[in-house]
Each structure stands twice: as structure tokens, then as C-alpha cells.
Amino acid sequence: MSTEQHDADAYGQELARISHHQHEATDARFTVFQALAAAGIGHEQADGIVAKLEAGAVAGAHTWISESSPPHGSESRFEDGWFAGVRDVASYLLRIADTTATAGRGRAASSAMLLAHVQQLASPAPEETTADEPAPALDPVPPLEATDVLAAAERFPWAVAAPGTRHWPDGSDFLDVALSAVGNEERAGYIERLEAFVEEHRDRLEELLRAYGPGSRPASHGRYALIGQPETLVILERMENAPFLLRGRWEKELETVFLDDLEFAWGPRIRLSR
């Protein structure tokens, strides 16, 4: 076996192990949210508790890295390079811990929605009402017009590429799927929610467009085609706040490679691609 093949196999095994740990973490997080909800903990408080636990885990990795040492007997130049690399990695881990401690909003609510959806699928179908029994009145669902959402998304030039450079002149299929992951209880005021999300993540969106958008080196290879589309702002907002529901709807309608690429570039709190 060649060295290149051995390295590729070893890297593949590492990715498989990472994927396993991510899957286990997602399941564990879901269980924790269920337990906190059963104890009467609200969604916002539950998000904060879990975010602090995850930040602590990253901080633990920071400590472990910071205390590592080069192999005994190494040359001074090797030791200098070792410690420089350790400082860089430790600093990056610290930034991740800081971000993790303050992120994660909406995950408890998303888990609750997913649980309710699963329970609904598992429960027996309700008995049909007879002709003499009027059907119970339902609260009207606030309309959420795709054209209005798209118009709102177009107002953010730091997150959206110029029309002539976009990969898809019409990304309505992507927008429809993303909007289908907006729950009925979220539809009222969703445009305001989207606008607040974009403003909150302005720096992150600017960097995403610069690094992966039209004209970037990654985009020249035919990947990351969704970046720069106005519809993508809705996808990213749902990726952060309703990741399970978004992926479930997406996998039924569209190629997952587009969502996987976007998820890789954005780096959401919950990574569902494998």
C-alpha cells in the first residue's frame, strides 16, 4: 500500500469517528432537551444550559492542548514550532468556546417541534367526525408569502451576491423548501425574525460571501452554489433554528449536496450532514 493510500485510509477513518461522535452528540443533546422540558425548564434556559456544557467541553480541549509537550529530546527548532502551533490551536479553541457559550438559540424549541412531529406520526389517526358533528374550528395560519420574504432578503447586500453573478436566477425551489420548515407558530413576524438574524450575523455572512460566494476559488470548482442567493438567508436561519425539520423537508425534495456544502461553509451549531 502506498503512503498516499495509507494517509487517505487513515483520514477516512478519522472522519468516520468524528461523524460517529457528532451523531452521538446530536442524540444526547436531544435527550437532554427532553429531560429539561420534562423538568419544566423553558426553551431559552435550556438552550443556555446546553450551550454552557458544550462550551465547557471545548474549554477542556483547550486545556488539554495547552498542556501538551513535544516529544522528549526534540530539537529546539522543532519545540519552537510545536509550541507556536499549540498556541494557534489553543487560541482557536478559545474563540470556539466563547462563541459556543453564547450561541445555540432556538435548538430546544426545534427539538420540541421534532419530538411533537415524531409523536404525531406514532399516534393513531383520530376518529372521523360524523356528518352531524361539526369539525372543530382551527386558528387561521398567518400567511407567509415567498415574494415578501425574498424582497426582505434582497435588502442585505453584504449577504447576497449581485443578480448577474448568482448561480440560479430563480431559486424558488430552495426557498419553498426552506419556508416549509417554518412552523405555523413562527409565521407571524417571520420576516422580522429573518431580518434580525441577518443583522446579528452580518460579519459572518460577509465572510461567507467573500470566501465561498461567486468569484471565489471554492466556487470556481462548481461547489457552494447556494452562497450568494437571497433564498440562502432563509436556509441559514432555518439551519440554525430548525435544523432537523429543514433537513427532513430538504431530503424529500432536493439534492442534499447543495445543503451539505452550505452547512460545511456556514458551520452551524448542529451539523447533520454525514
Side-chain angles (χ1 to χ4, degrees):
M1 178 182 296
S2 66
T3 302
E4 291 80 2
Q5 181 64 43
H6 174 76
D7 291 344
D9 290 344
Y11 183 59
Q13 292 173 8
E14 287 185 8
L15 290 180
R17 289 162 60 192
I18 290 295
S19 178
H20 170 76
H21 288 311
Q22 289 177 332
H23 181 75
E24 293 282 297
T26 299
D27 289 344
R29 188 185 300 112
F30 185 68
T31 301
V32 169
F33 280 137
Q34 285 183 265
L36 291 174
I41 304 297
H43 291 334
E44 290 187 7
Q45 187 178 359
D47 283 333
I49 291 171
V50 172
K52 289 175 182 177
L53 285 172
E54 293 178 340
V58 178
H62 174 277
T63 299
W64 189 88
I65 288 291
S66 299
E67 294 177 350
S68 65
S69 300
H72 179 70
S74 301
E75 295 182 0
S76 59
R77 287 184 299 175
F78 182 88
E79 290 183 348
D80 292 343
W82 176 283
F83 288 119
V86 165
R87 286 193 296 272
D88 288 343
V89 173
S91 296
Y92 190 67
L93 285 172
L94 178 58
R95 291 196 297 272
I96 293 175
D98 290 339
T99 301
T100 301
T102 57
R105 292 182 299 172
R107 293 188 295 168
S110 177
S111 294
M113 290 173 59
L114 177 63
L115 178 61
H117 179 67
V118 171
Q119 291 174 337
Q120 183 180 13
L121 293 177
S123 63
E127 296 181 1
E128 295 183 1
T129 58
T130 64
D132 297 332
E133 297 177 348
L138 299 176
D139 293 332
V141 177
L144 185 57
E145 298 293 338
T147 53
D148 295 337
V149 175
L150 193 63
E154 291 276 13
R155 293 197 286 268
F156 301 103
W158 63 83
V160 178
T165 64
R166 296 174 195 167
H167 188 85
W168 282 286
D170 176 19
S172 58
D173 290 345
F174 302 108
L175 180 61
D176 290 344
V177 170
L179 290 179
S180 73
V182 178
N184 291 341
E185 71 282 0
E186 298 178 285
R187 289 178 175 263
Y190 177 75
I191 290 178
E192 289 77 11
R193 178 199 296 265
L194 178 66
E195 291 172 340
F197 171 84
V198 178
E199 291 287 355
E200 178 185 357
H201 295 282
R202 175 167 184 160
D203 292 344
R204 195 174 172 189
L205 288 164
E206 286 180 338
E207 176 60 20
L208 182 74
L209 184 61
R210 183 199 66 77
Y212 292 94
S216 68
R217 184 171 182 179
S220 68
H221 298 293
R223 306 294 297 271
Y224 310 104
L226 281 177
I227 295 174
Q229 297 285 129
E231 302 82 8
T232 296
L233 300 184
V234 183
I235 300 171
L236 293 175
E237 188 278 327
R238 291 291 83 191
M239 187 182 291
E240 288 288 322
N241 296 312
F244 297 100
L245 185 57
L246 172 65
R247 182 159 287 271
R249 298 292 172 82
W250 193 287
E251 289 178 348
K252 293 179 181 179
E253 302 291 338
L254 300 168
E255 292 288 341
T256 58
V257 65
F258 299 122
L259 186 61
D260 292 345
D261 279 353
L262 183 59
E263 187 179 85
F264 175 83
W266 180 246
R269 293 291 303 117
I270 300 179
R271 188 183 295 278
L272 300 181
S273 61
R274 292 291 181 260

